[in-house]
């Protein structure tokens, strides 16, 4: 069963393609609302049946200032689902939309499906990823926020782009300045191969061997939360799990990672998981396709040499 229509919106226009994949799999018709450049609007038209382009964000404005414009489009288009990104600005906008439209909001959706009755069933991770809850929004339309993870399909069709003149609202906040973060940022969610390290690494010096392996495999480096948040050996954008990134590469190499549920929630959609851990009883061995009980620091140089 499919919905008749799903609308897609994210304050970050680079999320639109991924959200459209989701909308196309759930609904017969997808419409994307794009707040961004003309090329981002044209790009979205490859994925959505129709693109409603709000133009670029006005200087000094916050994305929330477009809440009224988005609410009007929702009223006009009358979708059964509004699919949004999971970023901070999207959360603010979703809350404001919920009040204006009298709609329910579901955040952090892990998966979505439409049941026989035409309701959108959403699975969300709860208890730090140890369990999942299934919820649905009541009413004519639900607002669901997700970081994506939909099966990537080919572009849906060449949709049309309609440029709209919209009034932006004063939201009581003015954007004064933006500056690049000093910390390295990586979009690990799109990596096709990942070499991830955990506390079994032992010391920062041992990172070099894992990086050599990643270079050989053409892989991105990832890590567990303690490596980024406690040891600060890698940037926060590289940690994977319930409070970090969700990844789904073809190959996930978990080196010196115990495999706690909070980490695996973000990694378990990988196609092949290879684990190296010196403890044969480590939970990661329940989740991997290929497991090697060994000291990673002894094995890695040999493995890289073999490759
Ligand atoms: C609310 C909440 C949210 C969380 N969110 C996240 C999250 O998003 N991401 C995340 O990663 N964690 C998260 N955590 C933490 C999580 O529960 C684990 O503590 C963490 O994932 C463990 O990291 P680790 O595997 O690196 O370390 P450990 O659990 O300490 O495991 C280290 C492993 O390395 C092995 N080892 C040791 N030496 C070697 C060696 N020489 N060679 C091979 N193996 C070796 C050990 O046998 C062990 O299995 C969260 C926790 C909470 C409570």
């Amino acid at each position: 069963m499919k919905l008749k229509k799903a609308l897609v919106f994210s304050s970050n226009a680079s999320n639109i393609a991924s959200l459209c994949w989701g909308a196309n799999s759930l609904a017969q018709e997808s419409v994307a609302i794009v707040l961004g450049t003309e090329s981002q609007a044209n790009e979205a038209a490859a994925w959505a049946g129709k693109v409603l382009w709000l133009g670029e964000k006005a200087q000094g404005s916050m994305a929330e200032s477009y809440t009224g414009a988005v609410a009007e489009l929702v009223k006009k288009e009358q979708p059964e689902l509004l699919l949004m990104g999971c970023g901070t600005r999207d959360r603010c906008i979703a809350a404001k939309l919920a009040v204006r439209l009298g709609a329910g909001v579901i955040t952090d959706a892990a998966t979505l499906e439409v049941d026989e009755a035409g309701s959108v069933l959403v699975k969300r991770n709860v208890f730090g990823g140890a369990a999942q809850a299934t919820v649905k929004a009541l009413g004519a339309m639900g607002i669901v926020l997700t970081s994506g993870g939909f099966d990537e399909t080919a572009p849906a069709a060449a949709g049309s782009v309609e440029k709209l003149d919209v009034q932006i609202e004063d939201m009581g906040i003015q954007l004064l300045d933006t500056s690049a973060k000093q910390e390295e940022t990586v979009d690990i969610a799109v990596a096709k191969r990942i070499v991830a390290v955990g506390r079994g690494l032992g010391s920062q010096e041992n990172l070099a061997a894992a990086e050599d392996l990643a270079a050989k495999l053409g892989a991105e480096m990832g890590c567990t939360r303690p490596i980024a948040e406690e040891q600060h050996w890698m940037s926060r954008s590289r940690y994977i799990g319930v409070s970090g990134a969700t990844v789904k590469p073809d190959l996930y190499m978990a080196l010196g990672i115990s495999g706690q549920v909070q980490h695996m929630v973000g990694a378990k959609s990988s196609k092949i998981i290879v684990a190296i851990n010196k403890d044969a009883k480590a939970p990661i061995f329940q989740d991997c396709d290929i497991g090697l009980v060994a000291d990673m620091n002894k094995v890695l140089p040999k493995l890289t040499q073999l490759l």
Side-chain angles (χ1 to χ4, degrees), residues 121-157:
L121 303 184
V122 178
K123 283 201 166 48
R124 311 178 65 242
N125 293 320
V126 290
F127 300 121
Q132 277 197 323
T134 306
V135 290
K136 71 173 182 181
L138 303 175
M141 186 204 65
I143 302 173
V144 179
L145 279 65
T146 176
S147 54
F150 298 105
D151 277 344
E152 301 177 14
T153 54

Side-chain angles (χ1 to χ4, degrees), residues 6-8 16-17 19-21 23-24 29-34 41-52 155-161:
L7 237 69
V8 159
I16 294 287
L19 293 172
C20 284
W21 285 319
N24 291 335
E29 190 188 345
S30 63
V31 178
I33 304 173
V34 175
N42 289 333
E43 225 172 275
W47 307 101
K50 181 164 77 173
V51 173
L52 303 171
S160 58
V161 178

Side-chain angles (χ1 to χ4, degrees), residues 128 197-201 223-227 239-244 256-260 262-263 276-279 282 294-297:
V197 292
R199 272 203 278 231
L201 193 65
C223 62
T224 58
R225 188 163 90 163
I227 296 298
Y239 90 76
I240 292 145
V242 67
S243 38
I257 291 177
S258 57
Q260 298 302 325
Q262 292 88 356
H263 179 76
I276 303 178
N277 194 304
K278 69 178 185 184
D279 176 5
D295 181 334
M296 61 175 278
N297 296 315

Side-chain angles (χ1 to χ4, degrees), residues 6 50 96 111 152 154 174 201 216 238 281-282 284 287 301:
K50 181 164 77 173
K96 291 174 192 297
T111 63
E152 301 177 14
Q174 190 190 356
L201 193 65
K216 263 279 183 263
R238 291 191 187 269
K281 295 203 176 90
I284 187 80
D287 280 319

